[in-house]
Amino acid sequence: ANEEFAWYYEGRNGWWAYDEKTSADVERAFKNGQRSCTLLIAGFLYVIDFEEMFQNRKNEPGRRRRIKRDKRDVESKGVAGIRVA
Ligand code: V3L
């Protein structure tokens, strides 16, 4: 759980980190060489597309958000919607 890299999704004027478990699941799929993965996040299925680097809710209207893989210590708005002070 103490990897060098974490995963982030786009918010307004900044990036949110995925929650720890989701970030680990995304990292595992990425390292597996998958083109995409589908994960349950906050009660909804999301498709995470590694080719175009975005996420969006599966089978539902919603925002197409850019994602990135970056160092753990980069600036972010917080984790999964919880702001950092
Ligand atoms: N992890 C947690 N919540 C998510 C995720 C995710 N990977 N993806 C979407 N949501 P959509 P600002 C975000 C939430 O894309 O002020 C932030 O976490 C999403 O939450 O249409 O714009 C903040 O909580 C949104 O509430 O599926 O930067 C909030 O937006 C909801 O799912 C505001 O952030 C629908 O997003």
Side-chain angles (χ1 to χ4, degrees):
N2 223 346
E3 309 273 345
E4 186 184 357
F5 290 96
W7 286 83
Y8 301 84
Y9 61 96
E10 180 181 29
R12 266 178 302 168
N13 313 315
W15 296 91
W16 292 99
Y18 283 85
D19 72 84
E20 197 62 40
K21 181 195 178 291
T22 302
S23 190
D25 289 346
V26 174
E27 179 72 359
R28 193 173 310 117
F30 176 77
K31 284 197 172 147
N32 258 344
Q34 292 175 219
R35 278 183 284 205
S36 69
C37 65
T38 303
L39 296 173
L40 191 63
I41 300 173
F44 295 94
L45 283 176
Y46 280 86
V47 175
I48 286 131
D49 184 313
F50 298 121
E51 296 189 303
E52 295 187 53
M53 292 295 276
F54 70 83
Q55 66 151 54
N56 66 180
R57 243 185 234 187
K58 190 180 171 119
N59 306 325
E60 306 231 17
R63 195 159 148 198
R64 176 175 166 134
R65 296 173 188 268
R66 289 186 299 149
I67 61 171
K68 67 169 182 171
R69 181 177 187 258
D70 208 340
K71 301 259 187 191
R72 287 189 163 273
D73 56 11
V74 296
E75 197 176 304
S76 72
K77 299 187 76 171
V79 180
I82 312 287
R83 284 184 169 278
V84 285

